[in-house]
Amino acid sequence: MRIATTLFATLGLVASTVIAAPDNKHGNKNNGPLVINKKVLKTSSVPFIPHTGTGLFTNWVGLNVDFKYIQPVFQKVNSTLSLGNGTLISRGESHITVILPPEYDNILSKVGVTMQELNALATKNNRLQRAHFDIECLGRVQAITQPNNVFQQSVQLIVKNYKDILAYRTDVFKLFVKKGGNPALFAAENYQPHITLGFKNRDLFVEDGVFKGKNACFHKVQLK
Ligand SMILES: *[C@@H]1O[C@H](CO)[C@@H](O)[C@H](O)[C@H]1NC(C)=O
Ligand SMILES: *[C@@H]1O[C@H](CO)[C@@H](O)[C@H](O)[C@H]1NC(C)=O
């Protein structure tokens, strides 16, 4: 599986060409900041949703984010030429991925860490849904993928101040090591939390050579 993972990462890098972001970090003058209802941060009012399955990429941990506050943001982005330009597909739900499917499939599950354990850790005192975080900006990543030179773009809200989420990931790291995992293979802080709004064709990942951190900011947001 180590070989498969390396192969996947290598293929991803070879098959995608990342597109340089336009220089519009401070927002388009014609469009003020993207306004988001600040209640979106109060994720304790929506339930934790477990994501468990039998196939690859079906097991992961997410912090559920109320789509009621994300949908209008999606609509605004998708209908604004300089933001989404009517190109986006929405999943019809919103979350912050906390443990990624490849982390579970390739690393955690290999030493017997189970989804039941990860979910129990997440739901103890409703810990994950009660996590505090804030939103940094509207981010965008783009790449040309192979075969056929397909233009892909993914638009997301970049998350900042996520100490509580990192603390959860640190506890997952401890569980992993306790079960005999090699500490070199899981880094709690190697993580770029975001809320995906939508994408063109397919979503993009680290394997495509894109990083959904502050680096990807292209428009201001304002919570109120
Ligand atoms: C918007 O999308 C149209 C059709 O895909 C494209 O021709 C145009 O260049 C895009 N404009 C911007 C600003 O992205
Ligand atoms: C995004 O905008 C395009 C163009 O108006 C529209 O066809 C598409 O349905 C919109 N996407 C969603 C998920 O509403």
Side-chain angles (χ1 to χ4, degrees), residues 74-75 78 86 88 90:
F74 171 83
Q75 292 300 348
N78 193 34
L88 301 180
S90 164

Side-chain angles (χ1 to χ4, degrees), residues 67 71 74-75 77-80 84-92 197-198:
F67 191 59
Q71 186 162 35
F74 171 83
Q75 292 300 348
V77 168
N78 193 34
S79 61
T80 303
N85 193 15
T87 59
L88 301 180
I89 296 166
S90 164
R91 292 199 182 102
L197 290 178

Side-chain angles (χ1 to χ4, degrees), residues 81-82 85 87 200:
L81 187 69
S82 61
N85 193 15
T87 59
K200 188 182 165 90

Side-chain angles (χ1 to χ4, degrees), residues 93-115:
E93 56 81 35
S94 42
H95 63 266
I96 299 170
T97 303
V98 173
I99 298 293
L100 286 72
E103 288 180 319
Y104 182 76
D105 292 340
N106 303 338
I107 301 165
L108 300 172
S109 67
K110 296 294 172 202
V111 295
V113 173
T114 66
M115 283 309 302

